[in-house]
Amino acid sequence: MAIEGKNEQNIGRIRLGMVGGGKDAFIGGVHRIASRIDDKYELVAGALSSTPEKAQQSGRALGLADDRIYDSFKDMAIREARLKNGIEAVAIVTPNHVHFTAAREFLKRGIHVICDKPLTSTLPDAKKLVKAAEDSDALFILTHNYTGYPLIRQAREMVASGDLGEIRLVQVEYPQDWLTEPMENEGAKQAVWRTDPERSGAGGCIGDIGTHAFNLASFVTGLELEALSADLQSFVPGRQLDDNAHVMMRFQGGARGMLWSSQVAPGNENALRLRVYGSKGGIEWAQENPNQMWFTSFGQPKQLLTRNGAGATAGNLSASRIPPGHPEGYLEGFANIYAEAARAIEAKRLGQSLPDDLLYPTVQDGLIGVQFIDACVRSSRRDAAWVKLG
Amino acid sequence: MAIEGKNEQNIGRIRLGMVGGGKDAFIGGVHRIASRIDDKYELVAGALSSTPEKAQQSGRALGLADDRIYDSFKDMAIREARLKNGIEAVAIVTPNHVHFTAAREFLKRGIHVICDKPLTSTLPDAKKLVKAAEDSDALFILTHNYTGYPLIRQAREMVASGDLGEIRLVQVEYPQDWLTEPMENEGAKQAVWRTDPERSGAGGCIGDIGTHAFNLASFVTGLELEALSADLQSFVPGRQLDDNAHVMMRFQGGARGMLWSSQVAPGNENALRLRVYGSKGGIEWAQENPNQMWFTSFGQPKQLLTRNGAGATAGNLSASRIPPGHPEGYLEGFANIYAEAARAIEAKRLGQSLPDDLLYPTVQDGLIGVQFIDACVRSSRRDAAWVKLG
Amino acid sequence: MAIEGKNEQNIGRIRLGMVGGGKDAFIGGVHRIASRIDDKYELVAGALSSTPEKAQQSGRALGLADDRIYDSFKDMAIREARLKNGIEAVAIVTPNHVHFTAAREFLKRGIHVICDKPLTSTLPDAKKLVKAAEDSDALFILTHNYTGYPLIRQAREMVASGDLGEIRLVQVEYPQDWLTEPMENEGAKQAVWRTDPERSGAGGCIGDIGTHAFNLASFVTGLELEALSADLQSFVPGRQLDDNAHVMMRFQGGARGMLWSSQVAPGNENALRLRVYGSKGGIEWAQENPNQMWFTSFGQPKQLLTRNGAGATAGNLSASRIPPGHPEGYLEGFANIYAEAARAIEAKRLGQSLPDDLLYPTVQDGLIGVQFIDACVRSSRRDAAWVKLG
Amino acid sequence: MAIEGKNEQNIGRIRLGMVGGGKDAFIGGVHRIASRIDDKYELVAGALSSTPEKAQQSGRALGLADDRIYDSFKDMAIREARLKNGIEAVAIVTPNHVHFTAAREFLKRGIHVICDKPLTSTLPDAKKLVKAAEDSDALFILTHNYTGYPLIRQAREMVASGDLGEIRLVQVEYPQDWLTEPMENEGAKQAVWRTDPERSGAGGCIGDIGTHAFNLASFVTGLELEALSADLQSFVPGRQLDDNAHVMMRFQGGARGMLWSSQVAPGNENALRLRVYGSKGGIEWAQENPNQMWFTSFGQPKQLLTRNGAGATAGNLSASRIPPGHPEGYLEGFANIYAEAARAIEAKRLGQSLPDDLLYPTVQDGLIGVQFIDACVRSSRRDAAWVKLG
């Protein structure tokens, strides 16, 4: 276990900009903390709000230099690309519908993009963004942050090494309760845009958190989806997007799965939970206590694996900062995505080839995520018919 | 809280016979213990095995009089019906395919039937059995035993009293792992008949435990199914019946649900778990630690309700024998079905009308269970099309 | 795993009497259920209350024959000893101060005694009772029932087989909360006698449940106490006996321990918990979910052992009735004491020597328990000085 | 809930130095991450090791300017105090025996000290350090970091507001297992100094983690110790300091408590756990899953309180960064101490009086901690006699 400073030669922090993440935002602050934890980034510029006044206030509160506070992401992209010490990477933390246009501006100027999920609010945008990323020399990192938890790394490694045998079953769920009542009608900012098709896209709950659950299951198992059958609901009267989703899945090779995501399940905060079962064993993990994972080798007693603890695999160890029993949480998992992105960006900066052990989600993972949302919506509109991604 | 002796006047134990439940059986012993716990029954006769030698051995081991040990259930029904002190009730604990023919023999002679689930191995048999029960003056009790847990009684009462608001979601699952490998090929008795369509019926896992899960959800919520979409799998090569089932459900009135049952999920013993969410609150309960149940009133802290503990409802209290914190388990829950059956049988014996608070599962519940299995099989054969019960 | 009928030849139930356990009592009903679960006993006589009217009512409610309902335990002892089919064993379930005089009457007439704990209310009585038991040919079984849990049997076996290495530490606790307020002042029967030195003895909480905790630790570890230091408190104003006890322990051979028992710890129902640590491993078990036990071999992942599950030892298996994942509880653990007593009583009846694998607590264990209570009281009066048992 | 930027006017980061925390150290990295999370500090100088070569390497790896890397803390104190932009605060993260001499150097030059626990390795040093802090205008912050957890803040507020009634009982424990075997003999750096009286002081386990447990209990309850009785052990042959401690406590006003700390309890990572019970209610909290806390109001169902969740108090809310259900951990709790220190340091910088709601542990708390260790050692040497702090 290493404490920060993973490279012996400190080559200076990565200069980071941010789009979105001003006052009243949620995920922007998470990205900033995540970027600081391992001391690999320095936030130096921002277009933090589409409201100029708020952009200015927020920028000053964060200690940005006056001339690095922008009122539009396009202005920021253009000017920073010209500066001698302009930003090398940008974090895009806006509502979904802005991801595509913002990301494109930076990609085409060779600025690396670290973008929140889902990739875009529409499938055509997602495909264009894949193209934009392919056409750019810059990197594209998607913050499906739950993949950064150390025990999720261990789960992936255990599946890959055959500890579970042939994978048969995936049970994944992500229930929340915060939208049990129509709080979007009361102006709660986080609720308003997430329930608005213009800003979220065609998926509500399935896009906001169902896509996290699907990504996590894919990351751990390596399985590719063959078809899905989805039944989306909107329980709260007047709500335009789904607030609950039931999905059955068939994977290539024969494995099957179920996915449940909900924002109307009272008693659930962020109860993301993954269970994977194979011919030889099973694992069970829950995000709210991410420092523990159950593993059962069929016929043997259940084992409680811990972050950085006895039986830890390489990926668990390398993604941990502190000893077992001292809990790491959401921010540290998020920071692991940033730390891996930093390793890639530093390699680029030094003209080296990329490390071959990078696991951060990419623009391709983002496309699959948007395809998943799209497929769920299509299936649900056809009475839960089986549909393929595409 | 009362300890046994719920009636002040002891009117003598109910004379009980048993069909099935000989050596090497599992559920017969459970029924016998359940019948003894509250001292309301006395086992006096048995046709304990279809193998005469085993029937004799088993009967003697249980201390039955020689002339009350039968080689066939038909002989037992005929003779006991004629005896002055013949059995008043019979427990049928055979493999599924015997339930119908055995139950019919006793019902038509006015002997009350306590039958294990599922009701029958085929839907036509189930319908005939409903008719036979309707035509008989005898009672029919189906041992969907999980409904006997005190906190399940509380859950039902809380739903009925509106503590959860309008029910929106039902998540129910029953994973096991004991059939992860093809143990039926090694002659394990419990595995052999449960994976044999001749004896189990068209459903494997869905019939053995999926039907328990469905019954439990129905018991607690009172919801009626509108349609289901099922994807059944048989993961173990050569297995004739499903060993895993994924089901999406739509209930009348708009609630939705998911049901998962599996016998190939390593790390799960009998992990039956029910979660119900409504517009005002949610409950979560797991069979392996049945003395606790979570309740959340939306916006309030989660509460841990306990068997016979603070906040217990009438049904929780009356189904409990000992103080909170001293765990009651599976056998006590099972005994609650027997205790309620005894109250009904005693009323019959005394020529009284039945108590109006009986909650034990009936032949109608059994029919619905067989319809559920049948619908899952039909749906799965049609690629998980939505089908109705019937 | 066997279901009941552990002997192939059924030799008839043991004829059981009961002293105490009438209406409003708690533990009497527990003993009766425990005696019935494995069908080894039949309750045929009782002196169920010191109030004749209550004794008669209670006897009739339990279906005893009129001439087997007694108004005093002495009458019962005398008459039953003379009957051809008189009782072979008696369960004594009165308040503590009656144990000695009642047990003596039966022992001296050769009637086996199954007695609730603690053995007696005073140390001199305990010593006399040991003598009385030694002078009798009858058996004496003390229902320190927690020793009957299957995983406690496994814990004992694992310690004995060296899985934990040399035992260093014992942490045992038994908190409750039901006496947080002075409910004895409101006439609650269970509270009144338990807080009365005349009926309970010199120990309150330490005698009622601390002695259970100490017995459990001794049973599992096999350690003998060298000295203890106790700090007893009575937090509720006006209460005559301790309602909370802190004890430090030194065992022969160098192990150390702590014991906490309390009846004033809000949020605790019957939270008996045992943790034992040695040079090679540790175990952790909690009574409220007794079907699970943690085991850690130092340096390896924690394992969750289950009742009758993977990794079960002989004692776990033989004390289990049903498969893993279907919880057994307090009553089944209690029944295991009765089942072992039955094996001994049956051997006596048949003139055989006692089985050599009996583990039920004896009169000697009872003496140690009373010595433990006495030592705690003595130590506490001397400002928690170290004292020895004796 | 606010994300960082708690002051609207960003006034520039606090310039921080560090003593200790070079390669192979553990707690130094924790302090650095904690200082970065809320972006209130910038590490600009360090005397990171007593080995010059390691000090240089470590400083460069952390990106310090060459002339701000020092080979001795005294050199650093002298030079930094003279620099126009010298450090304003220093984090001292060395083994215990260095704390006093290092802290004194900075305090006397007006540089704020953030020091790891325990305060010093001897009681005389602790008293001198209190004097040095009192004589200085600089602040002294002791990183008893567990007090920074949001739910611990809530626990303190709930006790203070009377939700638990009059406090009667404190049960606190901190078991670990990493010293179960004599790893200090194999040269493990963390083990070597912690088991060495020269560097740790007279307490081993009791000083390293027992003092954390005691501090936490004091922080939450506000109780002051009247006397303690301690039984310290050293189970591993050859070990010079205690590796296990049993302590009974009597608090002023009549409350009582037990404290257990251990480094030889296999299966425990950092299982710090606090339980507090009063006349009206109880709370239970465990560090390994710090985002949950149980609260029971006597006679009501147990409640599960969560970080930043339903029922959160002001202190819980203000110490939280992200929504409930996304776990915060050890580093965030630690960062809360740094954030509070920053508020105090910023006030000092601006010539303002200190905020009146600061809760970080002070040099006085540190003195009490060293007195506690000293009292435990004294008591244990006198066979667990009751002793007072002092």
Side-chain angles (χ1 to χ4, degrees), chain C residues 76-228:
Chain C
M76 180 162 88
I78 292 169
R79 182 161 179 270
E80 290 288 329
R82 292 178 187 154
L83 288 179
K84 179 172 157 50
N85 284 309
I87 59 172
E88 302 168 85
V90 67
I92 299 177
V93 296
T94 63
N96 307 343
H97 67 301
V98 180
H99 291 178
F100 165 55
T101 45
R104 191 171 49 177
E105 294 298 330
F106 293 91
L107 286 173
K108 73 181 180 194
R109 292 175 176 87
I111 294 170
H112 308 299
V113 170
I114 301 171
C115 184
D116 213 79
K117 46 50 59 184
L119 186 65
T120 59
S121 57
T122 71
L123 182 51
D125 278 0
K127 291 179 176 172
K128 285 184 227 160
L129 188 47
V130 169
K131 182 70 168 51
E134 286 169 352
D135 290 348
S136 169
D137 189 47
L139 300 166
F140 191 99
I141 294 98
L142 191 75
T143 53
H144 268 310
N145 57 291
Y146 301 111
T147 63
Y149 277 116
L151 282 164
I152 288 300
R153 299 295 170 92
Q154 173 146 355
R156 178 186 167 99
E157 290 170 340
M158 291 177 73
V159 169
S161 68
D163 290 346
L164 280 68
E166 189 181 3
I167 302 305
R168 292 169 170 172
L169 284 171
V170 177
Q171 299 290 337
V172 64
E173 62 187 37
Y174 195 157
Q176 299 176 330
D177 67 5
W178 67 297
L179 293 177
T180 293
E181 296 180 351
M183 65 185 290
E184 63 267 38
N185 298 346
E186 293 153 29
K189 180 184 161 86
Q190 294 298 322
V192 168
W193 78 256
R194 280 185 167 80
T195 58
D196 175 5
E198 293 300 313
R199 284 177 275 183
S200 263
C205 168
I206 193 69
D208 194 30
I209 55 175
T211 186
H212 265 310
F214 178 69
N215 174 266
L216 188 71
S218 302
F219 180 84
V220 167
T221 63
L223 293 172
E224 293 186 30
L225 197 70
E226 185 163 291
L228 63 77

Side-chain angles (χ1 to χ4, degrees), chain A residues 137-154:
Chain A
D137 189 48
L139 300 166
F140 191 98
I141 295 97
L142 190 75
T143 53
H144 268 311
N145 57 290
Y146 301 111
T147 63
Y149 277 116
L151 281 164
I152 289 299
R153 298 295 170 94
Q154 173 146 355

Side-chain angles (χ1 to χ4, degrees), chain A residues 50-128:
Chain A
S50 52
T51 309
E53 188 183 4
K54 197 182 286 186
Q56 293 295 323
Q57 276 184 356
S58 302
R60 283 194 301 271
L62 289 169
L64 299 183
D66 284 351
D67 65 343
R68 309 290 285 272
I69 304 176
Y70 299 89
D71 291 349
S72 89
F73 61 76
K74 187 156 186 181
D75 292 351
M76 181 163 88
I78 292 170
R79 182 160 179 270
E80 290 288 329
R82 291 177 186 156
L83 287 179
K84 179 171 158 46
N85 283 310
I87 59 172
E88 302 168 85
V90 68
I92 299 177
V93 295
T94 62
N96 306 344
H97 67 301
V98 180
H99 291 177
F100 166 55
T101 46
R104 190 172 51 178
E105 293 298 329
F106 293 91
L107 285 173
K108 75 181 181 196
R109 290 175 177 86
I111 294 170
H112 308 299
V113 170
I114 300 171
C115 184
D116 212 79
K117 46 51 57 185
L119 185 65
T120 59
S121 56
T122 71
L123 182 51
D125 278 1
K127 290 178 176 171
K128 285 184 226 160

Side-chain angles (χ1 to χ4, degrees), chain D residues 48-170:
Chain D
L48 299 161
S49 171
S50 52
T51 310
E53 189 184 3
K54 197 182 287 186
Q56 293 296 322
Q57 276 184 355
S58 301
R60 284 194 301 271
L62 289 170
L64 299 183
D66 284 351
D67 65 343
R68 309 291 286 273
I69 304 176
Y70 299 88
D71 292 348
S72 90
F73 61 75
K74 187 156 184 178
D75 290 352
M76 181 163 89
I78 293 170
R79 182 161 179 268
E80 290 288 329
R82 291 176 186 156
L83 287 178
K84 179 172 159 44
N85 284 310
I87 59 172
E88 301 167 86
V90 66
I92 299 177
V93 295
T94 63
N96 306 343
H97 67 301
V98 181
H99 291 178
F100 165 56
T101 46
R104 190 172 51 178
E105 293 298 329
F106 293 91
L107 287 173
K108 74 182 180 193
R109 290 174 178 88
I111 294 170
H112 308 298
V113 171
I114 301 171
C115 184
D116 212 79
K117 47 49 61 184
L119 185 65
T120 60
S121 57
T122 71
L123 183 51
D125 278 1
K127 290 177 176 173
K128 286 184 226 160
L129 188 46
V130 169
K131 182 69 167 53
E134 287 169 352
D135 290 348
S136 170
D137 189 47
L139 300 166
F140 191 97
I141 296 98
L142 191 75
T143 53
H144 268 310
N145 57 290
Y146 301 111
T147 62
Y149 277 116
L151 281 165
I152 289 299
R153 299 295 170 92
Q154 173 146 356
R156 178 187 167 98
E157 290 171 340
M158 290 177 74
V159 169
S161 69
D163 290 345
L164 279 70
E166 189 181 0
I167 301 306
R168 292 170 171 173
L169 285 171
V170 176

Side-chain angles (χ1 to χ4, degrees), chain A residues 11 19 47 61 75 175 178 191 215 253 262 293 350 357 379:
Chain A
I11 59 170
V19 178
D75 292 351
W178 66 297
N215 174 265
S262 184
M293 180 171 67
L350 298 170
D357 61 349
S379 171

Side-chain angles (χ1 to χ4, degrees), chain D residues 255-328:
Chain D
R256 307 264 173 120
M258 292 179 101
L259 181 151
W260 170 46
S261 68
S262 185
Q263 292 168 325
V264 294
N268 290 282
E269 294 178 339
N270 279 287
L272 173 60
R273 185 180 178 215
L274 175 66
R275 295 176 286 179
V276 179
Y277 304 104
S279 57
K280 291 173 56 182
I283 53 173
E284 305 179 347
W285 177 87
Q287 191 268 153
E288 295 196 354
N289 191 2
N291 297 283
Q292 300 185 338
M293 180 171 68
W294 292 103
F295 168 62
T296 305
S297 183
F298 179 62
Q300 300 298 314
K302 231 167 169 164
Q303 293 185 339
L304 188 67
L305 303 172
T306 61
R307 190 191 54 72
N308 216 354
T313 60
N316 180 349
L317 296 172
S318 69
S320 291
R321 290 168 188 80
I322 51 175
H326 277 144
E328 294 194 27

Side-chain angles (χ1 to χ4, degrees), chain C residues 306-342:
Chain C
T306 60
R307 191 191 52 72
N308 215 353
T313 59
N316 180 348
L317 295 173
S318 69
S320 291
R321 289 168 189 78
I322 51 175
H326 277 144
E328 294 194 27
Y330 176 86
L331 293 167
E332 287 77 25
F334 217 111
N336 284 336
I337 306 296
Y338 265 85
E340 285 202 325

